[in-house]
Amino acid sequence: MPTTASPFTDIALARRSPRQFLPDPVSPSDIRGVLEDAQTAPSNSNTQQWTVHVVSSAARDALSKELLRAEEEGRTSPDFTADYGDGVYQERAQAQAAGHYRARGIERADREGRRLAVRENLEFYGAPHAAFLFMPVIGDGVRTAGDIGMYAQNFLLSLASRGLGGIPQTILGFYADTVREFLGVPEDLKLLFGISFGTADRTAPVNEFRRGRVPLHQSVVLHDTPGVLDGQ
């Protein structure tokens, strides 16, 4: 069995969620390749319940304007809740946000600066493309959402393997009605989240921010599996 890092490990470790992109469009062949890679994701009984809309060029710009208008008018319309609870997950989210704003030079007390930073989500962080991941709600929707997550991870890792970047954005799902209306998506397909993607701007200070991961022993419990967490 191999004991050294594989190309997959290198790609997984290299993947980041950039928050500033170059405007250069991704080639059609690369976009198709990413979509083909994502399509290989596993799903419950091979149901493949994802529907993905990709916007670029004029469609991308027009949708961004609609999203910004909805934000200005307070027209949120999420299909799903977004909550971290009151415990450790909330603490991790707050720590991530604090690090992100520090990387951008935005002080905690700068409410306007923080609001403008959030609005950049709706401009896709300058990325030339955005993918919107829709799902039918069958039962409680949890299994389908899990399948969409696996599709999205394939999508993101395929981008990384090509030297590209993508950032999954829950906030795009806060404006589900706006996105559905613009794209002509039926009401029975629910928007889980979107992914802005393109070439990351490597000179942007915000992209130098590295988000940590908790050690394995905080999230993994082993049963009769010795030697894995030795030294932690």
Side-chain angles (χ1 to χ4, degrees):
M1 297 295 291
T3 57
T4 58
S6 68
F8 170 80
T9 302
D10 294 337
I11 292 168
L13 292 174
R15 192 207 66 77
R16 295 288 185 268
S17 295
R19 284 173 167 79
Q20 190 164 326
F21 291 82
L22 299 176
D24 311 323
V26 176
S27 72
S29 61
D30 274 333
I31 294 177
R32 181 183 178 91
V34 169
L35 293 170
E36 289 176 338
D37 290 345
Q39 195 78 4
T40 68
S43 61
N44 186 32
S45 297
N46 198 34
T47 48
Q48 304 174 63
Q49 296 180 59
W50 43 73
T51 297
V52 182
H53 286 245
V54 177
V55 296
S56 311
S57 303
R60 173 239 183 251
D61 296 343
L63 178 53
S64 176
K65 289 180 180 178
E66 291 299 319
L67 290 168
L68 291 168
R69 185 177 297 112
E71 188 272 340
E72 291 169 357
E73 297 173 358
R75 290 187 286 108
T76 56
S77 52
D79 290 327
F80 303 97
T81 59
D83 192 2
Y84 306 113
D86 297 322
V88 64
Y89 308 122
Q90 175 73 11
E91 294 170 4
R92 291 174 187 169
Q94 290 173 339
Q96 192 281 142
H100 167 64
Y101 288 129
R102 279 197 303 271
R104 297 181 58 108
I106 300 173
E107 300 294 334
R108 181 178 179 83
D110 184 0
R111 291 197 172 194
E112 180 61 12
R114 291 160 71 96
R115 187 185 75 84
L116 293 175
V118 170
R119 278 173 60 87
E120 289 185 5
N121 276 277
L122 308 182
E123 298 172 317
F124 312 122
Y125 290 117
H129 314 281
F132 293 85
L133 281 63
F134 293 90
M135 55 175 274
V137 177
I138 300 172
D140 61 10
V142 171
R143 295 193 185 280
T144 303
D147 292 347
I148 302 299
M150 290 186 280
Y151 178 100
Q153 183 70 339
N154 270 22
F155 191 104
L156 293 165
L157 291 175
S158 182
L159 287 169
S161 75
R162 300 162 195 274
L164 301 166
I167 176 170
Q169 295 166 268
T170 301
I171 193 172
L172 296 178
F174 291 178
Y175 300 91
D177 286 347
T178 299
V179 175
R180 259 192 301 270
E181 181 178 355
F182 183 88
L183 298 176
V185 175
E187 181 65 29
D188 61 341
L189 290 180
K190 304 304 180 183
L191 178 57
L192 193 56
F193 58 91
I195 299 175
S196 295
F197 66 98
T199 302
D201 184 350
R202 299 185 185 279
T203 68
V206 69
N207 287 341
E208 296 178 2
F209 173 56
R210 294 292 179 260
R211 295 147 190 86
R213 295 294 186 269
V214 300
L216 287 179
H217 72 269
Q218 292 188 21
S219 57
V220 177
V221 179
L222 300 174
H223 302 266
D224 288 337
T225 315
V228 176
L229 298 180
D230 289 354
Q232 289 201 6

